[in-house]
Amino acid sequence: MIWIVSKALVTSEELVHRHQFIQEITQARVSPWSECNCKSNRWPYKSIGYYCCTSDKGEYGFFITAHMNLEVQPILQQVLSQKKALVVINSCAIQKSTKIGCARIVAEKSPRSEVFFAKQELSDSGYLMNYIENAGEFGFRSTVSERELFQHRRFGLVKAIRTVYEKVMLE
């Protein structure tokens, strides 16, 4: 599994804690973080920075923690190939149109892939939300879905993802 986290979401200390979190969830060796960039798909076309590491165990795929409306789609465009992948998008606010856009990107690049989104609740403003907060003992701000993933880690990474995250049907 390839783990991606937006530079905009973490401090260097939180990145260390997130690395430990990934090791505990996967029960596998995790590579050091590397810095990556991709070009934004919206004007102004600035660079989007993110960190990336790989865990040795589990299915091939991507676990992306980034801002949905600005970062996820360009990251998907850069990292996806034609290879079947398990794609997990762990974002706070997800608009329906953006969710559909991400699913289309995955379907076009790799039609046999599976896509999962962090479970969302409808907010008073009409957005689907999965708030990031300092709940738990992780040392970084986490979503409800990440905390539930940690609780279900004993079932194995893939089963825990399929239990905790919401599967999107690719059309």
Side-chain angles (χ1 to χ4, degrees), residues 1 5 7 19-20 31 43 50 78 81 107 112 114 117 121 133 136 143-144 151:
M1 180 70 71
V5 63
K7 283 185 176 182
H19 193 270
Q20 292 168 343
S31 71
W43 177 258
Y50 61 92
Q78 179 165 317
S81 67
R112 298 179 305 132
E114 291 181 274
F117 284 94
E121 295 177 15
E133 53 195 1
T143 62
V144 171
Q151 291 171 348

Side-chain angles (χ1 to χ4, degrees), residues 129-146:
M129 301 295 288
N130 183 353
Y131 298 101
I132 287 185
E133 53 195 1
N134 280 323
E137 300 291 323
F138 301 123
F140 62 90
R141 295 171 300 135
S142 60
T143 62
V144 171
S145 295
E146 285 173 306

Side-chain angles (χ1 to χ4, degrees), residues 50-124:
Y50 61 92
Y51 298 101
C52 180
C53 70
T54 306
S55 58
D56 285 345
K57 210 158 81 173
E59 280 188 36
Y60 174 75
F62 299 91
F63 191 103
I64 301 171
T65 301
H67 292 293
M68 186 64 170
N69 298 329
L70 299 173
E71 299 172 330
V72 173
Q73 289 183 357
I75 291 171
L76 284 172
Q77 290 283 8
Q78 179 165 317
V79 300
L80 287 176
S81 67
Q82 293 181 344
K83 188 174 181 178
K84 178 183 175 187
L86 178 70
V87 179
V88 181
I89 298 172
N90 186 57
S91 289
C92 289
I94 300 177
Q95 294 176 327
K96 187 176 181 181
S97 62
T98 309
K99 192 175 193 178
I100 292 167
C102 287
R104 281 190 185 133
I105 290 169
V106 175
E108 288 170 5
K109 292 252 186 180
S110 179
R112 298 179 305 132
S113 292
E114 291 181 274
V115 181
F116 292 85
F117 284 94
K119 290 182 182 172
Q120 308 292 307
E121 295 177 15
L122 193 60
S123 71
D124 295 338

